[in-house]
Amino acid sequence: MITQKSLSVPVSGGACLHLRHIYHEQKTGPVVLFLHGAIENGKIFYTHSNKGLAPFMALNGFRCFVLDLRGRGGSVPAIDSGHEYGQTESILEDVPAALAFIEQYTGSKPQFWVAHSWGGVIMNSVFARFPEEVPNVDACVYFGSKRSLYNNHPEKLIKANLLWYWLAHRYSKKYGYLPAKKLKWGSDNETVKSHWQSAQWAKKMPWVDSDDGFDYAQALKSQVLPPTLHIAGVKDKALAQPIDIKMFMKESGIGLQTLNIYGKKHGHGHNYGHIDMLTHPRAQDDQFKDLLKWFELYRK
């Protein structure tokens, strides 16, 4: 039987992060941390009716912890005008707070990390800032994760160049935050700072923190990160084409990294895009199964 439970992780400024614990009551397997991307929240990995990747993994014995970054999903308070935190706080405070909480709650740090989209950038940034975390992680799987956009597909020119770089800035200035949920651009909103910081990195700017100048690329240059499986969808034309993912892999240390592309021409059950690579019913027969195999290969 799959059980879901909401946990609260306090962070600075009186905020609390929402952590969804999804597990099988009769199985006690490895601990997994899940991290969503921009204009999203942890619900990309699960539904309350136990659909999605996290319940699938729970059925296979994994103890899943799905994090909502500050202000997103079930985290409180929700993003609003005047909230000044951004991705620097996600890297330096939110993810470390979740890791410490999970260790206290379960007795061990997460053995496996899973991310969607920008969540993979945040996770590798955490590895750069806190290299002592690397030995705690057996392997990672990143769904559609890239840092900078190198492709020039027409859909990318609309979604990134027009919407994310230009129009989103206008909306952020007007509202004091990016109302992506209201605009139907995604499942959640972004602060002005988190949008601006992610947009700069996506524009192929150096992988350097705008707050303190920390050089993530330099920190990872000779670092061996956990073995990482990157997942791309053949219909993901704008946000994570193979060229974008490969460039992210290139700047993410010297550890083992593999890229798998999912679509009918590769023998899979669906032509996956950026979102439905995690939400389509056929995913459990394709990339979800390959995720289990990847973790089994590197499980210590």
Side-chain angles (χ1 to χ4, degrees):
M1 180 179 175
I2 302 300
T3 297
Q4 297 193 23
K5 185 184 299 182
S6 284
L7 305 169
S8 184
V9 182
V11 288
S12 64
C16 285
L17 308 177
H18 174 245
L19 197 61
R20 191 72 169 176
H21 185 201
I22 303 172
Y23 60 100
H24 194 292
E25 292 185 354
Q26 279 77 49
K27 298 177 182 178
T28 307
V31 178
V32 189
L33 173 67
F34 296 78
L35 188 61
H36 62 83
I39 59 172
E40 293 291 340
N41 57 52
K43 292 295 288 293
I44 190 73
F45 297 111
Y46 71 96
T47 68
H48 290 292
S49 58
N50 288 325
K51 295 177 182 176
L53 177 59
F56 172 85
M57 293 184 68
L59 275 173
N60 285 275
F62 292 86
R63 291 175 286 167
C64 302
F65 290 86
V66 184
L67 176 62
D68 286 329
L69 291 171
R70 201 173 311 197
R72 286 80 151 185
S75 298
V76 292
I79 288 172
D80 204 346
S81 177
H83 287 178
E84 297 180 349
Y85 53 85
Q87 68 182 19
T88 305
E89 286 75 16
S90 297
I91 297 162
L92 294 182
E93 298 180 28
D94 293 3
V95 174
L99 292 172
F101 181 93
I102 292 168
E103 182 177 27
Q104 186 177 32
Y105 191 82
T106 66
S108 64
K109 290 277 184 77
Q111 286 175 250
F112 299 107
W113 289 13
V114 177
H116 177 240
S117 195
W118 202 254
V121 179
I122 299 297
M123 282 185 159
N124 278 6
S125 298
V126 171
F127 284 136
R129 289 275 193 169
F130 305 98
E132 66 274 14
E133 293 294 345
V134 174
N136 299 322
V137 183
D138 292 352
C140 303
V141 174
Y142 294 165
F143 289 79
S145 289
K146 52 79 194 51
R147 186 181 74 83
S148 297
L149 286 164
Y150 288 84
N151 82 80
N152 289 306
H153 192 275
E155 193 177 331
K156 176 260 180 181
L157 300 178
I158 294 170
K159 289 185 176 179
N161 296 46
L162 177 62
L163 297 183
W164 194 246
Y165 300 157
W166 182 74
L167 199 53
H169 175 70
R170 295 291 186 100
Y171 279 117
S172 295
K173 194 172 181 181
K174 178 180 178 180
Y175 290 98
Y177 69 101
L178 178 59
K181 190 173 181 180
K182 179 181 178 181
L183 295 168
K184 300 188 185 303
W185 289 2
S187 301
D188 224 311
N189 303 319
E190 292 290 325
T191 64
V192 172
K193 181 180 177 182
S194 61
H195 165 257
W196 184 83
Q197 288 185 313
S198 64
Q200 297 311 299
W201 284 0
K203 288 177 184 177
K204 295 184 280 193
M205 297 289 281
W207 194 356
V208 172
D209 200 286
S210 60
D211 276 17
D212 62 5
F214 183 86
D215 191 328
Y216 295 93
Q218 184 62 37
L220 291 177
K221 194 172 183 180
S222 58
Q223 176 71 273
V224 179
L225 298 188
T228 302
L229 172 63
H230 290 266
I231 289 172
V234 295
K235 286 189 72 176
D236 191 353
K237 300 297 185 183
L239 302 177
Q241 281 202 33
I243 186 175
D244 308 315
I245 296 172
K246 286 175 182 176
M247 294 304 288
F248 178 46
M249 293 165 66
K250 191 175 179 180
E251 62 184 358
S252 294
I254 57 174
L256 175 66
Q257 299 186 79
T258 297
L259 172 61
N260 285 0
I261 304 171
Y262 290 83
K264 289 184 178 179
K265 69 180 181 181
H266 299 291
H268 304 114
H270 178 69
N271 288 324
Y272 296 98
H274 195 66
I275 298 298
D276 69 3
M277 63 172 62
L278 278 165
T279 61
H280 196 277
R282 296 299 296 271
Q284 63 182 357
D285 299 316
D286 294 326
Q287 52 268 38
F288 290 7
K289 280 189 175 179
D290 289 345
L291 176 150
L292 293 181
K293 291 175 186 174
W294 186 260
F295 285 167
E296 194 57 42
L297 273 176
Y298 299 102
R299 184 173 172 178
K300 294 172 185 173

